[in-house]
Amino acid sequence: MGILRYFTKNQYKNLFLLVWFLLCLIQAGYTELMDDEAYYWVYAHHLSWGYFDHPPMVAVLIRLGYALFHNEFGVRIGMVILNLGTIIITDKLIPRKDNRLFYLLLLVMGAMQVGGMLAVPDVPLVFFAALYFYVYRAFLEQQSWKNTFLLALSMALMFYSKYHGVLLVGFTVISNLNLLRVFKFYVAVVITTILFFPHLYWQYAHNFPSLQYHLIERNASVYQLNFTIEYILGQILLFGPLAGWLVLYYAFVCPIQSAFERALKFCTVGVLAFFLLSTFKGRVEANWTVMLFTPVMVLAHQSVRRKRSIRRSLKVIQYLAPATLVVVFIARVYMIWDFMPGVNIRPEIHHNREWAKTLQEHAGGRPIVFLNSYQMPSKYMFYSDNGLGYSINSRYNRRSQYNYWETEKQLWGKQVEITYATENIPVTDSFNTPKGLVKFHLQDPYYSYSLVQFKAAMGQVKVKPGTTMGFLLQVDNGYHEAVPVDPANEAVVGYAFTQKDVEFPAVKTELTISKAIERRIVRIEVQMPDKPGTYQLKFCVFAGVLPPTHNSQTIKVIVE
């Protein structure tokens, strides 16, 4: 009777949470990894204070879970626990709550049900954002030293999860400028900075790659209307595939009754507006606002309780909740079982084991190098039997954490399969896999130099059409040792221009990679484009049959 009463008291809250948790556990154990999850799993094998794309929280959580279970369940178990913790904390933030209403709001948010178990940085960000708001409310009520330290800790953990967390702190301060008069708030900021300093130092030591990528490299060359349309539709789907529009409306019209609720409202409106404006610079992923789960839940709940006009519309959610559960159920089943073969809806979560096995059998023990994909080598290494994969990026493709790991050193001088050969690489052979045809080139010996970077003193130059300009480049040898070369065909340094979506042929120089590393400072003569306009210049390395690789940051060239 005691156990029965535990699960049925307080409107079956504990039973609801148990079912939610069990469904997430089942989903986590029987769904194959998505591409980015496999990439973060590789993170976990190279623990560091920072990574090219994200702070280290996701890697730490995966490392802890995978130490217990060497499968998908281990990769995700930490996320499932944090997902449940997010719901529990959010529930505690709602005063005079109506549990039935709370359940309905949760059930119409499909993303939390399906995506809450994924091993991605968003899940710890959502949890630590909820924790941050929980501690911030306590700090408003009592500015004790305990709450000051907890506030600092929650902010630091949020930042260690994903950089977007800084927006929540910023809009919290805007909602309550009196914080700027509170000494202990400044103490919390100082403690946060100290706790976050190891990551800041990692960024400094690696020339701030995350800022370079997120603030510059991700920007589109021209604005496209579909960026904004996709963002708006994505937000509606994120907060409920069927009822997201209604949940957001509830949150927007919630009457504010405290400084804490004002912070929730400012964060909700501010973050959504910030990323809406960001669509004018490039594509914005819908999940970037998922950290608003707790503010939206609390505001939507309070809005329904306080406004009679909204309370009458609650019947709409009562009808949409079962419909959403049907959609979520179909999604859950599809994530585990590919019952629609040939339909490409997230094909990355199906047939990975068979695909990796086929690749490994064909490779016959040789390492596999994937072109312009950080996901495929990660998937291959997770699902193969200790197979070695690596990603090489061409001059036009985005960088990844593979540009910082020393995996290449294990490949030098060996026979390697370059898989998914493109960009005029000769095709040695091809074969079929459960994921389609694979073309490859057999390279023997293999050499590439992703960790060699050329740093120009100028990030922007203005030149005349068709002129020649010399660039002084500092050569940064990320291997910190002499690099071997192919004696028959040594790699050489080159450069390439792009303009918007136009890629110009790369140009080789006669400077070999060994001479460049030996000199440390080199001068490259660059022939400028003939037509006026704004171009992007990158320096690169030509190694064997590989396309010229990504070996420098972008230099803006204005041809007048």
Side-chain angles (χ1 to χ4, degrees), residues 416-428:
V416 167
E417 280 197 10
I418 302 174
T419 308
Y420 292 92
T422 58
E423 300 199 40
N424 301 320
I425 292 181
V427 176
T428 302

Side-chain angles (χ1 to χ4, degrees), residues 282-344:
R283 177 170 280 106
V284 173
E285 303 293 339
N287 62 287
W288 288 359
T289 63
V290 72
M291 58 185 169
L292 295 178
F293 167 76
T294 294
V296 168
M297 274 291 296
V298 175
L299 292 173
H301 183 282
Q302 297 304 83
S303 186
V304 174
R305 283 186 51 83
R306 294 170 183 171
K307 297 181 70 105
R308 292 184 179 180
S309 58
I310 291 181
R311 204 176 305 151
R312 288 194 294 269
S313 68
L314 186 58
K315 290 185 178 180
V316 178
I317 283 194
Q318 292 175 339
Y319 290 116
L320 291 178
T324 302
L325 282 178
V326 172
V327 174
V328 168
F329 176 76
I330 295 173
R332 287 186 186 277
V333 173
Y334 176 73
M335 291 175 72
I336 296 174
W337 170 40
D338 184 12
F339 60 84
M340 297 185 296
V343 178
N344 288 330

Side-chain angles (χ1 to χ4, degrees), residues 331-392:
R332 287 186 186 277
V333 173
Y334 176 73
M335 291 175 72
I336 296 174
W337 170 40
D338 184 12
F339 60 84
M340 297 185 296
V343 178
N344 288 330
I345 302 176
R346 287 291 185 182
E348 64 194 272
I349 58 175
H350 296 299
H351 312 298
N352 292 297
R353 290 185 179 86
E354 300 94 325
W355 168 80
K357 182 180 179 181
T358 304
L359 284 180
Q360 189 167 26
E361 288 178 349
H362 187 273
R366 292 184 290 264
I368 300 180
V369 174
F370 296 80
L371 286 178
N372 295 332
S373 173
Y374 58 88
Q375 299 103 330
M376 284 186 179
S378 305
K379 275 281 187 69
Y380 173 71
M381 287 189 286
F382 184 86
Y383 285 106
S384 65
D385 183 14
N386 296 317
L388 177 60
Y390 184 67
S391 170
I392 196 77

Side-chain angles (χ1 to χ4, degrees), residues 369-372 390-399 403 408 423 425 446-454 479 491-496 506 513 538-553:
V369 174
F370 296 80
L371 286 178
N372 295 332
Y390 184 67
S391 170
I392 196 77
N393 301 316
S394 73
R395 65 204 182 279
Y396 301 126
N397 197 259
R398 61 153 286 185
R399 293 182 295 162
N403 291 86
E408 278 174 316
E423 300 199 40
I425 292 181
Y446 175 88
Y447 294 96
S448 64
Y449 307 94
S450 294
L451 271 63
V452 176
Q453 291 291 305
F454 303 101
Y479 305 102
V492 297
V493 181
Y495 63 89
I513 191 68
K538 288 183 181 178
F539 293 94
C540 48
V541 173
F542 291 80
V545 300
L546 290 172
T549 51
H550 195 309
N551 295 89
S552 81
Q553 294 185 358

Side-chain angles (χ1 to χ4, degrees), residues 194-229:
I194 294 172
L195 293 174
F196 198 56
F197 180 77
H199 178 72
L200 296 176
Y201 181 78
W202 183 93
Q203 288 286 341
Y204 167 76
H206 293 81
N207 201 26
F208 298 98
S210 301
L211 291 178
Q212 173 74 15
Y213 172 62
H214 289 292
L215 298 182
I216 299 176
E217 294 182 20
R218 288 190 69 109
N219 291 342
S221 55
V222 294
Y223 169 69
Q224 298 179 31
L225 180 61
N226 64 294
F227 291 165
T228 303
I229 295 174

